[in-house]
Amino acid sequence: LDCRDIRQLSRDSRRLEGLEGKNMGEKFIVVRPHFQYTEGEDTRAIEQEQLDAANAELRVVPFNTPEERKAALAEADGFLTSNLVTREMIEWMPKVRAIVTTSHGYNGIDLDACTEAGIPVSNSRYNEREVATHAIGLMLAVTRRIAALHSEMASGKWGRGWQGEMPPIYGETMGIIGLGKIGRQTAKRAKAFDLHVIAYDPYLPAAR
């Protein structure tokens, strides 16, 4: 997890009231919903290590009901989320000076409400390589008919020619819409298969 420094984010925020009043020894409180962790993927120790540099304390809290959310956000200086911030939630976080989402996108975050409240929002560098690898795996599963052939073989079908046509993929063209972190990682892997890669992203210059 690559969280930005909460103090640095606060400098660009309009929510500066009371910031200078915090003692340097007093830790910032960063709230993280408990349900975002799954068995075997508890990353709170890594997150706390990153937040130590910002003199921040990670608090993993219940976040299932509106009452739990209000209580958790009321004391938070920062909010570590997984792509979930509504306008109503913004009203519950009077002290929050920065929001970081562990997703790549912001589709679950009300950016207009965050902007109006003067709260900067950032995302973290999280799992783009794994997502890109999975995308290539799905491409191979389709082009090589892996799932269909497995099903037929499991049913007892076997013999020369039974798999049908399976042309090579090298030299084919892959089109990618959105050349962000995941898109670039996917393009990198596609080129390893000798695919011709084309991409469209309205936020990047053509030379990129």
Side-chain angles (χ1 to χ4, degrees), residues 31-75:
V31 167
R32 171 87 140 129
H34 182 272
F35 69 83
Q36 293 175 1
Y37 297 104
T38 58
E39 186 176 355
E41 296 183 353
D42 192 331
T43 56
R44 71 187 77 189
I46 300 173
E47 292 157 6
Q48 182 59 69
E49 182 181 356
Q50 293 289 318
L51 289 169
D52 282 342
N55 192 34
E57 173 190 345
L58 179 67
R59 292 187 181 177
V60 181
V61 297
F63 214 73
N64 296 313
T65 67
E67 290 73 23
E68 290 177 339
R69 295 176 185 181
K70 286 182 181 179
L73 294 173
E75 299 300 320

Side-chain angles (χ1 to χ4, degrees), residues 103-123:
S103 63
H104 281 268
Y106 301 97
N107 54 296
I109 297 177
D110 193 327
L111 293 177
D112 290 336
C114 292
T115 300
E116 293 169 13
I119 305 176
V121 180
S122 176
N123 64 351

Side-chain angles (χ1 to χ4, degrees), residues 90-146:
I90 292 292
E91 298 173 355
W92 299 341
M93 50 178 79
K95 298 169 57 181
V96 167
R97 297 175 177 85
I99 294 172
V100 175
T101 175
T102 58
S103 63
H104 281 268
Y106 301 97
N107 54 296
I109 297 177
D110 193 327
L111 293 177
D112 290 336
C114 292
T115 300
E116 293 169 13
I119 305 176
V121 180
S122 176
N123 64 351
S124 61
R125 191 180 180 91
Y126 181 70
N127 270 357
E128 69 267 18
R129 287 178 291 185
E130 286 76 10
V131 174
T133 298
H134 192 69
I136 294 296
L138 292 175
M139 177 196 73
L140 293 174
V142 172
T143 58
R144 312 310 292 176
R145 301 182 59 227
I146 292 174

